[in-house]
Amino acid sequence: MEQPRRITDSFPRRLRRRGPGRPPGRLKDKKDKKDRDKDQDKVQVKVRDCARSPSQPAPDPALLEMLRRFDLCWEYGPCTGITRLQRWERAQELGLSPPGPIRDALLEHRDNPDVTYRWVGMGW
C-alpha cells in the first residue's frame, strides 16, 4: 500500500550550513555599536513623543467599564482600526441604535486616548 503524500514532499530538502565559529540558532550581528546607539536614541524619542501625557487624570472606572461593555457588544459591528466614536457613528448610520451616554462620554473626553481608543492591553 502506498503512503499518503505530504505537502513537504513537494519541496526539496536543504541542509543548513553553519559558518565557522557561529553558534547554532544565532544570527550574525551586522550592526556596529554606533548604529545600535542610534537605534536606541530613536526608540527613546518615540517613547517621549507618546500621545499620552501624565498630566491627564485617569478616567472614572465606571466610565471605562461602560466603554468596555460597548467594545464587547458585537451588535454594533467590529471595533478594530477605528475609534470608539467612529464605531458609534457607524452603528447610528446603520440604524443599530447605539447607547446615547456612550457618545456623550466620548465627546466629553475627546482628548483622552484612554477613552477615545479601545485599550487592547487590558485583555478586552
Side-chain angles (χ1 to χ4, degrees):
M1 186 168 163
E2 188 176 312
Q3 288 190 353
R5 290 196 58 189
R6 296 185 184 147
I7 193 165
T8 54
D9 293 340
S10 303
F11 301 100
R13 293 184 182 206
R14 294 185 181 186
L15 295 177
R16 291 187 180 191
R17 297 183 184 175
R18 299 184 205 280
R22 224 166 106 192
R26 293 196 136 202
L27 296 176
K28 198 174 187 180
D29 189 16
K30 295 182 180 179
K31 291 185 178 183
D32 61 355
K33 186 176 184 329
K34 185 178 173 183
D35 291 336
R36 282 182 289 195
D37 291 342
K38 285 182 184 178
D39 289 345
Q40 186 67 17
D41 291 341
K42 287 179 187 176
V43 171
Q44 290 174 356
V45 169
K46 287 180 184 177
V47 171
R48 276 187 245 129
D49 293 341
C50 185
R52 295 176 193 218
S53 65
S55 62
Q56 287 182 342
D60 183 29
L63 170 66
L64 291 177
E65 177 64 23
M66 180 175 68
L67 292 173
R68 185 182 74 85
R69 289 176 187 248
F70 176 67
D71 291 340
L72 294 176
C73 187
W74 284 100
E75 175 183 348
Y76 307 116
C79 54
T80 306
I82 60 174
T83 64
R84 285 174 167 149
L85 186 58
Q86 289 172 333
R87 182 174 182 240
W88 190 95
E89 290 170 348
R90 181 188 62 198
Q92 181 68 25
E93 288 174 6
L94 294 172
L96 300 175
S97 304
I102 297 287
R103 182 176 186 270
D104 298 338
L106 293 172
L107 291 175
E108 182 181 338
H109 299 280
R110 181 174 283 203
D111 297 331
N112 192 338
D114 290 333
V115 175
T116 305
Y117 300 101
R118 179 173 177 250
W119 182 248
V120 292
M122 299 294 286
W124 300 349

